[in-house]
Amino acid sequence: MARGYEGEEKRDKRQMILDAAVKVFSRHGYHEARMEEIAAEAGIGKGTIYEYFTSKLELFQEMLNKSREVYYDSLEIDDKKKLSLREKIYFLFLSHIQFCRENKELTRIVFWDTKIMDEELKVWSYDKRKEKEKMFREEVREAIERREIRKVDPELVSLNVSGLLSALWAPITLDGWDVDPEELAEKLTDLIFAGLKPE
Amino acid sequence: MARGYEGEEKRDKRQMILDAAVKVFSRHGYHEARMEEIAAEAGIGKGTIYEYFTSKLELFQEMLNKSREVYYDSLEIDDKKKLSLREKIYFLFLSHIQFCRENKELTRIVFWDTKIMDEELKVWSYDKRKEKEKMFREEVREAIERREIRKVDPELVSLNVSGLLSALWAPITLDGWDVDPEELAEKLTDLIFAGLKPE
Amino acid sequence: MARGYEGEEKRDKRQMILDAAVKVFSRHGYHEARMEEIAAEAGIGKGTIYEYFTSKLELFQEMLNKSREVYYDSLEIDDKKKLSLREKIYFLFLSHIQFCRENKELTRIVFWDTKIMDEELKVWSYDKRKEKEKMFREEVREAIERREIRKVDPELVSLNVSGLLSALWAPITLDGWDVDPEELAEKLTDLIFAGLKPE
Amino acid sequence: MARGYEGEEKRDKRQMILDAAVKVFSRHGYHEARMEEIAAEAGIGKGTIYEYFTSKLELFQEMLNKSREVYYDSLEIDDKKKLSLREKIYFLFLSHIQFCRENKELTRIVFWDTKIMDEELKVWSYDKRKEKEKMFREEVREAIERREIRKVDPELVSLNVSGLLSALWAPITLDGWDVDPEELAEKLTDLIFAGLKPE
DNA sequence: TATGAATGAGAATTCATTCAT
DNA sequence: TATGAATGAATTCTCATTCAT
């Protein structure tokens, strides 16, 4: 098989640019990021980026898009249906913690300010999140019905869980909080479930 | 003494500029904001801003600084000592919800991307928040001692509450979520305290 | 005589501004000089300068004008007619050297780049110099006639003397060359008169 | 190899910019010169200058640097050692006069106000000139030893010659003084050597 | 297809000058 | 008359994007 001197590098130039974009955008933010640095990071010429993306904005959006997809995929559990809400929330925390630790650059993008998103991406982003939240609320509702949990507003539970996910990102990614993912996930799940009530 | 038609206009030009800065920075973010627009918003000439602030960055930082101070001040409760943790958390949620509803532009700034903050401000900002969180953890510890709540890691409680505060901002400010502040605060406090355990 | 609290300062505000201008322009050059610094140096408000001069350019030109007048006046000898050319040149060097040592700031202006002079000042400046040089050449001619010196082109003698005057300014004013004025003037006069011919 | 119509245009864009800079800076001085005019003069876009020079100041300094080098090179004589001091001074005048006539724009730069030079360039400029002057004084000393000229202070001879060189620039470049270079150089050398003493 | 030199629109900032007090 | 806060024209420099090679 004749791949030539390019070796393994060839794995799709488009993806190489996206990978470089994750690094550079996460280092500097959208406005401070330079197309030149992205090109250099990808090991290609400046002009080449424009063969694959029409503009800096498009590149950013596609990169953000892809990054979120990767993140959301990491949260998926195979045999969801068979798990209790408690187990699902536990795996949500666990996956999130692990993902944050393993993809610091990428998460920086995912949980970022989205000022520069255009309407189309905003819609996609909004839809994706709303869809996730809707599914989550549905699961909360079912858990209430089957008496796994007490009668609470699913909206608030969703808010609580997503708030905790965001709040976890900073200490893990920025401060390098070094805890055992499984232990932390367990404790958080317990907090959510048992609340603060004295025994 | 005839101040006459000058009325409230005169209330210190520096403050007028800061107010305009809140509006414009919250509309566009730091990089997209134009000094000219800030000047126009303040109803003054472009050059005048530079009589009060040495640069765009300095203006942004001072504005952010002031805004945070205003926000944190709004969270203060007068006779803290006499309240139970439950009541304190309730007032925290209540103050936050009310503040978000009444200061949509300003909160956009307070809960924003901090990429452009310089080291000095970062420290101030960090200190302020860490101080708040430390005080909160202390209160959690005391509540545990006096058996108001069960034995939990104060760090996680802090994370839970601050996560909820951040998570509340988006629906209130962006989506215009229209709920009764007192009712919402009550529900959230209850969620935190009672958890999801079935009765 | 009631001069009031202003004391000796009152000696004409216009002149105070001109004096300040000499200092500031000689410190920074025309473009780098700031009207504010001139006002501060003169101990008055920025706006006041415009009560006496219509613009920065006018102030500069008037200052340059006055400075040159002072310089040229310092070169005048009372009873010129009775001196030999040798004595006149000696006194020219002597006056120049003494003036440079005593008025470092002012000479910096006098011997400066004149890019910013407008036509009117250029003409005045040119006229003044040409007039001086013409008078000098006339004196050279007379000295030739009365056989004080040999037959030389008066133009070249004028060039030689004025060249030496300029060349002296830098070491005296910038490097602080510290020689006895009378001795230096004597040596220079001798050089001009005796040339380099071996004895 | 078909270079064709590109002709001399291609002779290094950096040099084209430097040439344009000489013209524009000599026309207006440092502060009044506009980057846009330099670009236009070079027939390129404004931004292109910044591909070759980091700032206006750097461009000016490099241009000044190069110009001085060209000037000083023009003063060099091949077989210096074999000439008498009289001949050396003659060639100095001759070279200077010819250079001034042929490079009016460039000399305007070389003999200019140096307020805007930074310390580094000042040192280079100072070194170059001091070195030249030192060499010249040494040659005067040698001429004294071999009795070509009488015993005079070499410093003053140097001052005399350099003063004349500067004094020549204005009439030649500004007034367009049109004399035969060889004749003028001869006359000046004679003046320096024979002095004004009557025969 | 890949490149990077060239471009110019656009933004921050400066400072002489004005003018209400 | 004296002032200095306010102004905005004017200038440098940046960087996404283009396009000839």
Side-chain angles (χ1 to χ4, degrees):
Chain A
M1 153 207 187
R3 280 252 228 82
Y5 60 89
E6 287 247 313
E8 56 168 340
E9 297 289 343
K10 195 60 204 173
R11 75 163 192 294
D12 194 30
K13 200 162 283 191
R14 190 185 171 81
Q15 191 53 47
M16 282 168 61
I17 295 170
L18 284 168
D19 291 345
V22 167
K23 285 183 190 164
V24 176
F25 281 127
S26 83
R27 267 207 284 279
H28 304 295
Y30 179 75
H31 284 100
E32 303 279 75
R34 306 283 159 245
M35 292 300 269
E36 191 132 33
E37 190 177 347
I38 295 172
E41 185 77 44
I44 57 167
K46 209 175 357 157
T48 309
I49 296 177
Y50 290 87
E51 298 291 326
Y52 296 88
F53 304 90
T54 61
S55 69
K56 185 185 184 183
L57 186 59
E58 201 207 65
L59 171 59
F60 177 80
Q61 291 172 339
E62 198 128 332
M63 181 273 314
L64 188 58
N65 219 326
K66 277 261 167 64
S67 297
R68 289 201 167 137
E69 222 155 344
V70 172
Y71 170 70
Y72 281 126
D73 284 355
S74 84
L75 300 187
E76 294 296 337
I77 314 165
D78 291 341
D79 47 354
K80 243 178 188 171
K81 290 293 162 191
K82 292 157 195 164
L83 299 176
S84 68
L85 182 66
R86 202 185 202 285
E87 287 166 319
K88 281 172 189 161
I89 289 179
Y90 168 78
F91 281 118
L92 199 57
F93 283 135
L94 184 61
S95 308
H96 178 81
I97 293 163
Q98 284 171 337
F99 188 87
C100 285
R101 296 180 78 181
E102 289 160 18
N103 304 276
K104 297 198 175 187
E105 281 167 346
L106 205 140
T107 54
R108 211 180 181 112
I109 294 293
V110 174
F111 296 102
W112 239 7
D113 180 48
T114 49
K115 270 289 103 100
I116 14 69
M117 296 199 307
D118 75 353
E119 285 309 310
E120 201 185 343
L121 187 59
K122 232 173 215 157
V123 167
W124 178 90
S125 170
Y126 190 82
D127 284 356
K128 191 92 182 175
R129 212 178 120 223
K130 288 290 166 194
E131 179 203 320
K132 282 271 165 190
E133 287 176 355
K134 196 181 166 192
M135 280 170 57
F136 185 79
R137 284 201 304 275
E138 193 47 50
E139 285 171 0
V140 173
R141 236 182 307 273
E142 285 167 16
I144 292 171
E145 266 169 34
R146 79 172 99 93
R147 307 284 164 111
E148 186 192 335
I149 61 171
R150 70 186 179 96
K151 241 181 127 190
V152 286
D153 184 344
E155 178 98 41
L156 299 187
V157 181
S158 168
L159 218 58
N160 196 2
V161 171
S162 64
L164 257 169
L165 292 177
S166 312
L168 280 168
W169 173 76
I172 293 173
T173 309
L174 300 181
D175 306 347
W177 199 18
D178 196 35
V179 284
D180 176 50
E182 297 185 4
E183 193 189 324
L184 180 56
E186 181 57 43
K187 278 181 173 171
L188 289 167
T189 312
D190 180 62
L191 187 65
I192 294 281
F193 271 80
L196 299 175
K197 277 240 190 72
E199 283 105 6
Chain B
M1 155 206 189
R3 280 257 219 80
Y5 60 91
E6 286 251 313
E8 57 169 339
E9 297 287 341
K10 195 62 203 172
R11 76 169 190 296
D12 198 36
K13 195 154 292 187
R14 191 185 169 81
Q15 192 53 48
M16 282 169 64
I17 295 170
L18 283 168
D19 291 346
V22 166
K23 285 184 190 163
V24 177
F25 281 127
S26 82
R27 266 207 285 279
H28 305 295
Y30 178 74
H31 284 99
E32 304 279 71
R34 305 289 158 236
M35 291 302 266
E36 195 134 29
E37 189 177 348
I38 295 173
E41 185 77 45
I44 57 171
K46 203 165 18 133
T48 307
I49 297 177
Y50 291 88
E51 296 286 321
Y52 296 87
F53 304 90
T54 60
S55 67
K56 185 184 182 182
L57 185 59
E58 202 207 65
L59 172 59
F60 178 79
Q61 290 174 336
E62 199 129 329
M63 181 272 315
L64 190 59
N65 217 325
K66 278 261 168 65
S67 298
R68 290 203 165 134
E69 223 157 340
V70 171
Y71 170 71
Y72 282 124
D73 284 354
S74 83
L75 299 188
E76 294 295 337
I77 314 166
D78 290 339
D79 48 354
K80 243 177 187 172
K81 290 291 161 192
K82 292 158 195 164
L83 299 177
S84 66
L85 183 65
R86 201 184 204 285
E87 287 166 318
K88 280 173 190 162
I89 289 178
Y90 168 78
F91 281 118
L92 198 57
F93 283 134
L94 183 61
S95 306
H96 178 82
I97 293 162
Q98 285 171 338
F99 188 88
C100 285
R101 297 181 76 182
E102 289 159 19
N103 304 277
K104 298 199 174 186
E105 281 165 346
L106 205 140
T107 54
R108 213 182 178 109
I109 293 294
V110 174
F111 297 103
W112 240 8
D113 180 41
T114 51
K115 274 283 112 135
I116 17 70
M117 296 199 306
D118 72 2
E119 285 310 309
E120 202 185 344
L121 188 58
K122 230 173 214 156
V123 166
W124 180 90
S125 167
Y126 190 81
D127 283 356
K128 190 92 182 177
R129 209 174 133 223
K130 288 289 165 192
E131 181 202 318
K132 283 270 165 191
E133 288 176 353
K134 197 181 165 192
M135 280 170 57
F136 184 78
R137 286 200 304 274
E138 193 46 48
E139 285 171 359
V140 173
R141 239 182 304 272
E142 285 167 18
I144 293 171
E145 266 169 37
R146 80 173 98 92
R147 309 283 164 113
E148 187 192 334
I149 61 170
R150 71 184 178 97
K151 246 183 123 186
V152 287
D153 183 345
E155 178 98 39
L156 299 186
V157 181
S158 169
L159 218 57
N160 198 4
V161 171
S162 65
L164 257 168
L165 291 178
S166 313
L168 280 167
W169 173 75
I172 294 173
T173 308
L174 299 181
D175 306 346
W177 199 17
D178 196 35
V179 284
D180 176 49
E182 297 185 4
E183 193 190 322
L184 180 55
E186 182 55 43
K187 278 181 173 171
L188 288 166
T189 311
D190 181 62
L191 185 65
I192 295 281
F193 271 79
L196 299 175
K197 276 236 192 73
E199 283 103 7
Chain C
M1 151 210 186
R3 281 249 228 85
Y5 60 91
E6 287 247 312
E8 55 167 341
E9 296 288 343
K10 194 59 204 175
R11 77 168 189 294
D12 195 30
K13 199 162 285 190
R14 191 186 169 81
Q15 190 54 47
M16 283 168 62
I17 296 170
L18 284 168
D19 291 345
V22 166
K23 285 183 190 163
V24 176
F25 281 127
S26 83
R27 267 207 284 279
H28 304 295
Y30 179 75
H31 283 98
E32 302 281 73
R34 305 284 159 245
M35 292 300 269
E36 193 133 32
E37 191 178 347
I38 295 174
E41 185 77 47
I44 57 168
K46 209 177 356 160
T48 309
I49 296 177
Y50 290 86
E51 297 291 326
Y52 296 88
F53 303 90
T54 61
S55 70
K56 186 186 185 184
L57 186 59
E58 201 205 64
L59 171 59
F60 178 79
Q61 291 172 338
E62 198 128 333
M63 182 271 314
L64 188 58
N65 218 326
K66 277 263 166 64
S67 298
R68 290 200 167 141
E69 221 155 345
V70 172
Y71 170 71
Y72 282 127
D73 284 352
S74 84
L75 300 188
E76 294 296 337
I77 315 167
D78 290 338
D79 46 355
K80 242 178 188 170
K81 290 293 162 190
K82 291 159 197 164
L83 300 177
S84 67
L85 182 66
R86 200 183 205 286
E87 286 166 320
K88 279 171 188 163
I89 289 177
Y90 168 78
F91 280 118
L92 198 58
F93 283 135
L94 184 61
S95 307
H96 178 81
I97 294 163
Q98 285 171 338
F99 189 88
C100 284
R101 297 180 78 182
E102 290 159 18
N103 303 277
K104 297 197 176 187
E105 280 168 346
L106 204 141
T107 54
R108 213 183 178 112
I109 294 293
V110 174
F111 296 102
W112 238 7
D113 180 47
T114 50
K115 272 284 105 94
I116 15 71
M117 297 198 305
D118 75 354
E119 284 310 310
E120 202 185 341
L121 186 59
K122 233 175 213 157
V123 166
W124 178 89
S125 171
Y126 190 79
D127 286 355
K128 190 92 182 175
R129 212 178 120 221
K130 287 291 167 195
E131 181 202 318
K132 282 273 165 191
E133 287 176 353
K134 197 183 166 192
M135 280 170 58
F136 185 78
R137 285 200 305 274
E138 193 46 50
E139 284 170 2
V140 172
R141 236 184 305 276
E142 284 167 17
I144 293 171
E145 266 170 36
R146 81 172 98 92
R147 308 284 164 109
E148 189 193 332
I149 61 170
R150 72 184 176 98
K151 244 182 125 189
V152 288
D153 184 343
E155 180 99 39
L156 300 187
V157 181
S158 168
L159 217 59
N160 195 2
V161 171
S162 65
L164 257 168
L165 291 177
S166 313
L168 280 167
W169 174 75
I172 294 173
T173 308
L174 300 180
D175 306 346
W177 199 18
D178 197 34
V179 284
D180 176 47
E182 297 186 4
E183 194 190 321
L184 180 56
E186 181 57 43
K187 277 182 174 170
L188 289 166
T189 311
D190 181 62
L191 187 66
I192 295 281
F193 271 79
L196 298 175
K197 277 241 190 71
E199 284 106 6
Chain D
M1 155 207 189
R3 281 256 219 83
Y5 59 92
E6 286 251 314
E8 57 168 339
E9 298 287 340
K10 196 62 202 171
R11 76 166 191 298
D12 198 36
K13 196 155 291 190
R14 192 187 169 79
Q15 191 54 48
M16 282 169 63
I17 295 170
L18 283 168
D19 291 346
V22 166
K23 284 184 192 162
V24 176
F25 281 128
S26 83
R27 267 208 283 280
H28 304 296
Y30 179 75
H31 284 98
E32 302 279 70
R34 304 288 159 240
M35 291 303 266
E36 196 133 30
E37 190 178 346
I38 295 174
E41 184 77 46
I44 57 171
K46 202 166 21 134
T48 308
I49 296 178
Y50 291 88
E51 295 287 321
Y52 295 87
F53 303 91
T54 59
S55 68
K56 184 184 181 182
L57 185 59
E58 202 206 65
L59 171 58
F60 178 79
Q61 290 175 337
E62 198 130 331
M63 182 271 314
L64 189 58
N65 219 324
K66 278 261 168 66
S67 298
R68 290 203 165 136
E69 223 158 339
V70 172
Y71 170 71
Y72 281 123
D73 284 353
S74 82
L75 299 187
E76 294 295 337
I77 315 167
D78 291 338
D79 46 356
K80 243 179 187 170
K81 289 291 163 193
K82 290 160 196 162
L83 299 177
S84 66
L85 182 66
R86 201 184 204 286
E87 287 166 319
K88 279 171 189 162
I89 290 177
Y90 168 77
F91 281 118
L92 198 59
F93 282 133
L94 183 62
S95 306
H96 179 81
I97 293 163
Q98 284 171 339
F99 189 87
C100 285
R101 297 181 76 182
E102 289 160 17
N103 304 277
K104 297 198 175 188
E105 280 165 346
L106 205 141
T107 54
R108 214 184 177 107
I109 294 293
V110 174
F111 296 103
W112 240 8
D113 181 42
T114 52
K115 276 281 113 130
I116 17 70
M117 298 197 304
D118 72 2
E119 285 310 310
E120 202 185 343
L121 187 59
K122 233 174 212 156
V123 165
W124 181 90
S125 166
Y126 189 81
D127 284 356
K128 191 92 181 175
R129 210 175 131 220
K130 288 288 167 193
E131 182 202 319
K132 283 271 165 193
E133 287 176 354
K134 198 183 165 190
M135 280 169 57
F136 184 78
R137 285 200 303 275
E138 193 47 49
E139 283 170 1
V140 172
R141 237 184 303 276
E142 285 166 17
I144 292 171
E145 267 169 36
R146 81 172 98 90
R147 307 284 163 112
E148 187 192 334
I149 61 170
R150 70 186 178 98
K151 245 181 124 189
V152 287
D153 184 345
E155 179 98 40
L156 299 187
V157 181
S158 169
L159 219 58
N160 197 4
V161 172
S162 65
L164 257 168
L165 291 177
S166 314
L168 280 167
W169 173 74
I172 293 173
T173 309
L174 300 180
D175 306 347
W177 199 18
D178 196 34
V179 283
D180 176 49
E182 297 186 4
E183 192 190 323
L184 180 55
E186 182 56 44
K187 277 181 175 173
L188 289 167
T189 311
D190 181 60
L191 187 65
I192 296 279
F193 270 79
L196 299 175
K197 275 239 190 75
E199 285 104 5

